Amino acid sequence: MFGTYLRRELVGRRKQTIIIAIGMALAIALVIIVNSVAAGVKTAQASVLESVYGVGTDITVSQAAEAPTEGGGPGQNFDFGSGDGSTSDGTTTVNQSRLEAARGTSTFDATALGTITDVANVEAAAATLSLTNTTFTGELPDFSQTQGSDGSAGVPGGDASGATPPQGGPDGAGGSSFGVDSFTVLGLDPSGDAVGPLSAVTLSDGRSLAADDAGTDVAVLDASYATEAGIGTGDTIDIAGTTFSVVGTVTASGADATTASNVYIPLDVAQTLAGLDGQVSDVYVQAASSTDITQVQTDIEAALPDATVSTQEDLASTVSGSLASASTLVSNLGTWLSIIVLAAAFLIAILFTISGVTRRTREFGTLKAIGWSDRRIVGQVAGESVVQSLIGGAVGVAVGLVGILVVNLVAPTLSAAATTSAGGGLGGPGGAAGMPSDAAAGAAGGFGGAPGAAAATTTDIVLQAPVTAWIIVIAVGIAILGGLLAGAIGGWRASRLRPAEALRSVA
């Protein structure tokens, strides 16, 4: 009886059914598309961060660099004595290379790794040391010509002691020329490739670092940097005056992205060369489950109060470009638009249901006169409303899936930039700190190094909107909720009708 009456009313009131179904369908379709695009944007942000953050890395632990004190002294200096370098034809050629933590970064005791691994629900953790290798190469006037006859240092250009001005040099008149080359170096545990920056790369040539590489002078290079520097697998690279064998090259997982560093070497070797024994700059942490990330972050902050503990969610806000614009659009406009459309769809369903009840005064009054209870009338109206909303929900799911298919077929490309500082930023090591390779200065004897430069990891991401089961479930749930809401209000209105009203309507 209920089903027969329900079917007859829906068929007999096609216009109301179609309008309610269309309104609900549009709302459901928009909710599905917005949620899918939002999930795609979130995935795109994660892929941008992977090259500097690491696959599976949920949390990074670092330590903020201390602010320089007033009168803290000059920056990096390259100091040369009179016996340094080799002299030929009045020109002294000098070459000095060193490895140190980049400016703007800070190191801390490696025992923090053990503290972190003891935290509940930490699946894996790996420590790294972010460094910058800077090489000074210069041609200077003969140092010996600056020495007075008594062995004291003369002043170039002549002074009261009568010292002869130095001759030679690149310009033949006592001038100088030098260049500075810099690249980033990341020291890491060769056996800890399950988490951290090296887990976010793809092997291009040769091999990656292995557990038995600890303590050896071997290196893996970023493929882009290797091409730029003209170095390949089997070649050597000089780091802090030590020759390293290049055993492989790697590329970032994301398209057109650079990896976290130019060069990767064993952690213990990096610590020794940089004079930072027992020190690290970052610890990468993987939680046992995504639901444990907040708890792990809180516990690490409590165990290491001086540390900076960041999650990928914290770092996603640093991604710029059209990807950031899409994220803002989806999170703000998309969400509010979905709420407004859903509210409008619910309102349409409620108004049309009440309007239908009003037009059926004679019908409901007669049904009550022949013995229908208030509950049965409410159930009848609610049933009709739920079915109308479910029809709209089914159409909305279909339209939403078609919309997602269109987005994936169009595959819009979004640009994204993750700006990192040399040796730090984004919770991990930065990209290449591009110092000029041919910087000129007029004085010998020292060189003030420039602060670590910023590098932008630019990536082009093809947006893909995924379809997940929970989105469909939510869509169906919204349709049922809308139907129940409209049916409850309309049914309550119908239940308040009296048989006498039907008789007056007939008259």
Side-chain angles (χ1 to χ4, degrees):
M1 177 65 179
F2 175 79
T4 302
Y5 195 82
L6 179 65
R7 180 177 57 81
R8 183 180 66 81
E9 290 299 323
L10 292 175
V11 174
R13 305 180 188 279
R14 290 190 182 92
K15 183 178 180 181
Q16 175 177 321
T17 300
I18 291 174
I19 292 176
I20 292 176
I22 289 176
M24 195 64 65
L26 291 176
I28 296 303
L30 184 60
V31 168
I32 291 176
I33 294 173
V34 167
N35 278 276
S36 294
V37 172
V41 168
K42 187 174 182 179
T43 301
Q45 286 180 324
S47 67
V48 172
L49 294 173
E50 274 183 1
S51 61
V52 293
Y53 201 63
V55 174
T57 301
D58 300 314
I59 298 169
T60 55
V61 181
S62 58
Q63 188 160 312
E66 296 181 1
T69 59
E70 185 176 354
Q76 301 171 345
N77 292 315
F78 289 91
D79 299 314
F80 302 100
S82 60
D84 290 334
S86 58
T87 303
S88 176
D89 297 329
T91 299
T92 299
T93 302
V94 293
N95 187 302
Q96 189 178 113
S97 179
R98 73 167 166 227
L99 187 66
E100 59 190 354
R103 287 193 181 185
T105 64
S106 181
T107 60
F108 53 96
D109 199 297
T111 55
L113 177 62
T115 302
I116 292 170
T117 55
D118 290 338
V119 171
N121 297 317
V122 170
E123 183 75 15
T128 63
L129 180 60
S130 301
L131 305 167
T132 299
N133 185 86
T134 307
T135 301
F136 175 96
T137 304
E139 294 180 342
L140 305 150
D142 185 359
F143 284 129
S144 65
Q145 296 186 43
T146 66
Q147 300 294 323
S149 59
D150 59 354
S152 61
V155 179
D159 60 8
S161 67
T164 304
Q167 301 298 317
D171 60 0
S176 61
S177 174
F178 58 84
V180 177
D181 179 66
S182 179
F183 56 86
T184 55
V185 178
L186 183 65
L188 45 78
D189 182 357
S191 62
D193 59 354
V195 62
L198 200 56
S199 64
V201 300
T202 302
L203 187 65
S204 298
D205 188 33
R207 66 175 179 85
S208 185
L209 296 178
D212 56 3
D213 287 327
T216 62
D217 297 334
V218 295
V220 171
L221 272 58
D222 169 64
S224 298
Y225 174 75
T227 301
E228 180 183 346
I231 303 173
T233 301
D235 295 336
T236 61
I237 184 172
D238 183 89
I239 303 176
T242 302
T243 301
F244 282 73
S245 300
V246 178
V247 297
T249 60
V250 294
T251 57
S253 299
D256 300 326
T258 59
T259 62
S261 182
N262 299 138
V263 182
Y264 301 89
I265 63 176
L267 177 60
D268 54 351
V269 177
Q271 291 170 329
T272 300
L273 289 179
L276 295 171
D277 290 331
Q279 296 288 301
V280 296
S281 57
D282 300 279
V283 177
Y284 296 84
V285 184
Q286 182 180 19
S289 171
S290 59
T291 58
D292 298 325
I293 294 177
T294 301
Q295 168 259 310
V296 172
Q297 181 182 19
T298 302
D299 289 352
I300 293 176
E301 289 173 339
L304 301 171
D306 295 332
T308 300
V309 185
S310 304
T311 67
Q312 199 172 77
E313 290 289 339
D314 299 329
L315 305 178
S317 60
T318 65
V319 177
S320 59
S322 60
L323 178 61
S325 300
S327 177
T328 302
L329 182 65
V330 170
S331 62
N332 295 334
L333 178 60
T335 301
W336 283 108
L337 185 60
S338 297
I339 293 174
I340 292 172
V341 173
L342 275 174
F346 285 5
L347 183 61
I348 289 172
I350 292 171
L351 292 178
F352 269 86
T353 302
I354 293 176
S355 176
V357 169
T358 302
R359 292 194 301 271
R360 296 163 69 183
T361 299
R362 181 188 305 176
E363 175 187 343
F364 288 125
T366 303
L367 290 174
K368 295 193 72 172
I370 63 175
W372 276 43
S373 65
D374 289 346
R375 178 180 296 181
R376 187 172 181 182
I377 290 177
V378 171
Q380 183 66 41
V381 176
E384 295 172 11
S385 181
V386 169
V387 172
Q388 290 168 345
S389 296
L390 283 175
I391 294 172
V395 175
V397 169
V399 173
L401 293 177
V402 171
I404 293 174
L405 178 62
V406 170
V407 171
N408 291 334
L409 289 176
V410 173
T413 300
L414 303 176
S415 64
T419 303
T420 66
S421 61
L426 280 188
M435 281 186 170
S437 58
D438 293 308
F447 173 76
T457 301
T458 302
T459 309
D460 289 332
I461 299 293
V462 176
L463 180 63
Q464 292 292 309
V467 179
T468 52
W470 68 267
I471 295 179
I472 306 299
V473 172
I474 289 177
V476 174
I478 290 174
I480 294 175
L481 176 62
L484 288 175
L485 185 60
I489 295 175
W492 174 81
R493 175 73 177 83
S495 68
R496 295 182 63 83
L497 295 175
R498 296 293 180 263
E501 296 183 43
L503 297 177
R504 285 198 298 271
S505 177
V506 172

